[in-house]
Structure formats: C-alpha cells, structure tokens
C-alpha cells in the first residue's frame, strides 16, 4: 500500500507527538511504501536532507517551511470573528495543498495518514483512504484549559475556541475512514459521539532500548524531575502551579532536595523558576535520559491534558518512581501504588514525593513494576504492530469492496 503521511512537524524521537509520529512511521514503512510531507522551521528545512529519517525513507521526504507565531493573536481573533477555529486553520496552507497535488500527480497514493487533527483538512483525490491519528481529543484539551485558566481574556478565548473547534473536530473524524486514539478511554468517548465510526487504539509508547536503567549515572539524593515541552500549556501550567503550591513544602521538609525542569522552549515565567532555591530550568537538552537517570522521583502534576503522557512511559522504562495526578496518568493501564503513586491535592502530592525521597525500597519496587509493564504493553514495537494491523484491515476492506 502506498501511504502519504502529512505532519505539521518533522518526526523525531525526541519529544511527545514527534516521537509518536517517528516510531509509527517506521512501523508502517516496514510493510508499506511510505512518503512523508512535513512542515518545519526554515532551519530544519535546510538540514532535513541530512536527517537519518530522509535517508531511511530513501529520500521520500518533502519538507516545507512553516514559521508559527508573529501575528498569532490577531489571527486568533480574526478566526473567531469569522466563526472559525484558529487551530483548525493554522496548518491548512495553500503551499501544502499544492505539494499534495504535485505528489499525487507523480504517484497514486492509496491512503493518507494525517498526524494530528490540525493537518486533517486538505483536499484529496476521490477514493483515497484517510487515517486520522488523534494524538489528543483536542476539544477536551481546550475545555480543560478553559477550566484551568485564571487570566480572564485567555479564559474567554479558550471558551470561544472550544465552541468552534469541537464541531470541526468531529467533522474531520467523521470524514476519516479510520481514526486512531491513544487510549481506550478516548476511543469510547469518540465512539459515543460518532457511532459506527471505525476507531482503533494505538497507544503511545517508549523506545525500550533507549530508555532503560543507566548504571553509569548515579541518582542524586533528593532529586525530582519534570520533563516535557515547556511551551505546551499543560506542561507550563503544571510546573508553575507546582512551584507555587508544592515545591516550597517539599524543600522545607527536605532542604537538600533539588527539582529539575527539563524541556525545550520554556516561556519567561518558567525560566524565572530557576531563581527559586533548589530549582534548575534546563531549557532544551540534546537528551533527556541523563537527567532522568540522576533523578529519584519523576513528577507529573498535570491539571490539564488529553491523550496519554510519554513522559510517564519514559520514566517507568528507566525504572523511576513516578508521582502523578489522575489526569497526568489517565488513559495508561497503570495501577496506583503498584506502578506509580497518584495524588490529586497539593498536600497529598507533597506527602507522596517526600515519602518516596525517603524510601529507596518503595522507589525500587515501583520502578521495577513500571519497567515490566512498559515492556509488556508500551514498547514502540508493539504499538507499531497495532497500527500496522489497523491499516492492513483498512486495505483489505478496500480490496473486498
């Protein structure tokens, strides 16, 4: 089967959605003829021909320059005034449509895989099978952002954007021949909205060879860590709240404790957390594994989110004890007190972190159980097999029809 994958970023095994796209692309490429069409920054476009990904796909990669930002606020307001969703329009670009048309003129793709909702609005030739990979339920993410936001203007904007996006999200899902979700929870929710729609679960995963215990690095006593892209609202909101409501209590009880905030593009308010006692904000790092290896506890104090968190799977794969909110770990087949600790309120979360920092045996038990679980259910190889089966079933349906 010839498959065109369309993405708003270059897949790479370094962060969240990009890692999912990277590993699932490789799974498909083992059984199908795959071409990638991706958006990227001008700097990434220049370097794209040297990427291992381009070489592994025998050059079947088309990268177009795309720079977000600039007049974003004005564009958001203009979209709402037109009754449209900014997020559903931001990645729908004439030059991408032209590239799709040109690629189809060269070779007849049988299927298109959209990597995320925001690139799923392009015109395709009749008869092409459409697969939509829903990394999140985006309307759920917007609704939770609205509920969590305190700043009045942003709160109002999120409410208005939620109202226009939710209709468009369901329309794009309905137009697809196959929708992928990261968890059974999201599959069930979407199925109630779209009865009869074909929806398959392809979980997020972890590279079990890359993420494992690093015996060359010693854990630092009292070290906790948060990992994630810092210009992503759920992550930045989580670390700001943790710094305000959690960290002072942990540091008071364990004066030697340290907290590392590891992830790219921290906004100024997150960077300023580095002035707090015991806190280090690293910004972009080439590899998160050394930071995980030196930590004793990984924290996921999210109050906003959708999909599932790769940061938890990566921490568990390295046998780290994890403390999370229920939203932080939702959708993953984890058992509280067996694979991680779950706490909702600041006092309970602080108590759980302090307990683990003092109890090496409990940390070891959680880490061992977590590693066993990800080996069983969340290796990218297994996730790729689920995707390949779902796409192959779609191809068989086409043949039988």
């Amino acid at each position: 089967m010839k498959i065109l994958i369309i993405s708003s970023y270059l897949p790479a095994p370094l962060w969240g959605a990009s890692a999912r796209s990277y590993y699932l692309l490789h799974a498909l490429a083992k059984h199908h003829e795959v071409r990638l069409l991706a958006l990227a920054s001008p700097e990434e476009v220049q370097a794209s021909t040297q990427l291992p990904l381009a070489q592994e796909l025998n050059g079947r990669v088309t990268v177009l320059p795309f720079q977000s930002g600039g007049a974003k606020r004005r564009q958001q307001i203009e979209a709402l005034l037109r009754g449209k969703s900014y997020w559903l329009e931001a990645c729908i670009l004439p030059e991408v449509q032209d590239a799709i048309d040109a690629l189809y003129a060269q070779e007849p793709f049988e299927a298109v895989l959209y990597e995320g909702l925001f690139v799923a609005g392009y015109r395709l030739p009749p008869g092409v099978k459409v697969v939509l990979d829903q990394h999140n339920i985006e309307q759920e993410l917007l609704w939770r952002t609205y509920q969590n936001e305190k700043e009045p203007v942003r709160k109002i904007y999120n409410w208005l954007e939620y109202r226009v996006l939710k209709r468009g999200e369901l329309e794009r899902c309905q137009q697809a021949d196959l929708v992928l979700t990261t968890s059974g929870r999201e599959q069930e929710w979407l199925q109630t909205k779209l009865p009869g729609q074909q929806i398959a679960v392809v979980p997020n995963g972890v590279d079990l060879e890359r993420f494992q215990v690093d015996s060359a690095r010693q854990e630092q006593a009292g070290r906790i860590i948060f990992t994630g892209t810092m210009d992503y609202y759920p992550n930045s909101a989580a670390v700001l709240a943790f710094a305000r409501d959690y960290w002072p209590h942990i540091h008071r009880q364990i004066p030697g404790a340290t907290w590392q905030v590891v992830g790219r593009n921290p906004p100024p308010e997150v960077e300023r957390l580095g002035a707090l006692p015991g806190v280090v904000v690293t910004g972009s790092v080439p590899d998160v594994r050394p930071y995980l290896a030196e930590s004793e506890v990984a924290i996921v104090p999210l109050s906003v989110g959708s999909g599932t968190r790769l940061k938890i799977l990566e921490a568990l794969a390295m046998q780290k004890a994890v403390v999370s909110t229920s939203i932080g770990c939702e959708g993953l087949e984890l058992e509280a007190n067996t694979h991680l600790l779950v706490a909702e309120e600041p006092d309970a979360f602080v108590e759980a972190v302090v307990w683990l920092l003092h109890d090496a045996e409990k940390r070891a038990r959680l880490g061992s159980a977590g590693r066993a679980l990800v080996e069983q259910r969340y290796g990218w190889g297994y996730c790729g097999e689920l995707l390949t089966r779902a796409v192959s079933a779609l191809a068989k349906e086409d043949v039988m029809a």
Side-chain angles (χ1 to χ4, degrees):
M1 197 175 191
K2 289 188 175 183
I3 303 174
L4 175 62
I5 297 178
I6 301 176
S7 173
S8 62
Y9 46 79
L10 271 174
L14 300 177
W15 59 272
S18 179
R20 176 179 175 85
S21 302
Y22 176 85
Y23 287 103
L24 295 185
L25 183 155
H26 278 275
L28 281 179
K30 291 178 182 177
H31 304 279
H32 302 277
E33 194 173 335
V34 171
R35 175 178 276 277
L36 172 67
L37 173 59
L39 298 173
S41 69
E43 297 77 21
E44 289 175 319
V45 172
Q46 291 181 357
S48 62
T49 57
Q50 304 303 316
L51 292 174
L53 181 65
Q55 297 167 18
E56 291 164 21
L57 292 180
N58 297 317
R60 294 171 60 79
V61 177
T62 300
V63 184
L64 300 177
F66 175 66
Q67 194 76 58
S68 60
K72 177 180 174 181
R73 295 290 177 253
R74 177 175 59 80
Q75 293 169 0
Q76 288 175 323
I77 294 171
E78 289 176 352
L80 287 177
L81 290 175
R82 290 185 287 109
K84 302 290 185 179
S85 162
Y86 166 80
W87 292 109
L88 290 180
E89 293 194 332
C91 294
I92 306 300
L93 308 173
E95 54 268 36
V96 176
Q97 184 65 65
D98 291 342
I100 293 171
D101 294 341
L103 289 171
Y104 265 95
Q106 296 173 23
E107 53 185 316
F109 294 99
E110 298 158 272
V112 165
L113 169 59
Y114 287 123
E115 279 298 345
L117 179 72
F118 301 137
V119 290
Y122 287 102
R123 182 185 67 253
L124 302 173
V128 175
K129 293 291 186 180
V130 175
V131 181
L132 172 52
D133 189 2
Q134 282 279 79
H135 295 241
N136 302 304
I137 302 297
E138 300 297 343
Q139 60 188 275
E140 176 180 60
L141 187 57
L142 264 176
W143 174 253
R144 287 175 170 176
T145 301
Y146 155 74
Q147 290 181 308
N148 191 72
E149 182 60 71
K150 301 296 188 294
E151 202 279 317
V153 174
R154 289 180 181 174
K155 192 174 186 71
I156 292 170
Y157 169 76
N158 284 312
W159 163 247
L160 295 173
E161 175 70 16
Y162 161 76
R163 293 188 65 183
V164 292
L165 179 139
K166 66 177 182 178
R167 180 178 65 250
E169 179 169 34
L170 292 177
E171 287 174 355
R172 289 187 180 183
C173 288
Q174 194 165 31
Q175 291 163 3
D177 296 283
L178 171 64
V179 178
L180 308 177
T181 64
T182 64
S183 72
R185 181 191 75 87
E186 292 171 298
Q187 180 193 41
E188 291 173 9
W189 184 91
L190 201 52
Q191 205 80 70
T192 63
K193 304 293 182 181
L194 300 173
Q197 176 63 287
Q198 190 166 340
I199 305 171
V201 177
V202 177
N204 280 322
V206 62
D207 187 329
L208 295 170
E209 293 184 4
R210 288 189 71 237
F211 287 89
Q212 54 183 304
V213 173
D214 184 352
S215 56
R217 291 183 179 272
Q218 189 171 9
E219 290 184 347
Q220 301 300 305
R223 172 73 51 83
I224 68 173
I225 188 171
F226 180 95
T227 63
T229 302
M230 286 299 119
D231 58 358
Y232 181 53
Y233 176 82
N235 288 336
S236 61
V239 298
L240 290 171
F242 190 85
R244 182 184 64 244
D245 300 327
Y246 303 62
W247 178 245
H249 304 288
I250 294 172
H251 199 254
R252 188 180 306 117
Q253 295 182 57
I254 307 178
T258 55
W259 171 31
Q260 290 197 325
V261 181
V262 181
R264 64 182 193 148
N265 301 334
E269 59 270 27
V270 172
E271 286 188 327
R272 287 193 288 270
L273 299 181
L276 297 175
V279 179
V280 174
V281 180
T282 67
S284 299
V285 297
D287 192 342
V288 72
R289 289 174 297 171
Y291 298 89
L292 275 169
E294 293 179 357
S295 67
E296 289 189 326
V297 176
I299 59 166
V300 190
L302 296 186
S303 58
V304 177
S306 186
T308 59
R309 257 53 69 198
L310 280 83
K311 59 171 64 68
I312 289 183
L313 300 176
E314 291 170 353
L316 294 181
M318 294 188 71
Q319 297 191 29
K320 295 298 170 182
V322 175
V323 182
S324 176
T325 58
S326 58
I327 283 182
C329 62
E330 72 180 350
L332 296 172
E333 297 182 24
L334 304 171
E335 291 183 19
N337 301 317
T338 298
H339 304 111
L340 80 172
L341 299 186
V342 179
E344 301 299 339
E345 299 303 322
D347 288 349
F349 204 104
V350 166
E351 182 181 356
V353 171
V354 170
W355 175 31
L356 287 178
L357 290 177
H358 283 311
D359 193 336
E361 186 178 339
K362 179 63 173 179
R363 294 198 307 270
R365 285 200 301 271
L366 290 172
S368 179
R371 174 70 192 190
L373 179 75
V374 296
E375 286 180 352
Q376 180 184 7
R377 298 180 184 172
Y378 291 107
W380 278 123
Y382 174 68
C383 301
E385 288 177 10
L386 295 177
L387 172 63
T388 301
R389 277 186 234 153
V391 171
S392 297
L394 194 65
K396 288 178 183 177
E397 287 179 9
D398 200 30
V399 171
M400 292 175 65

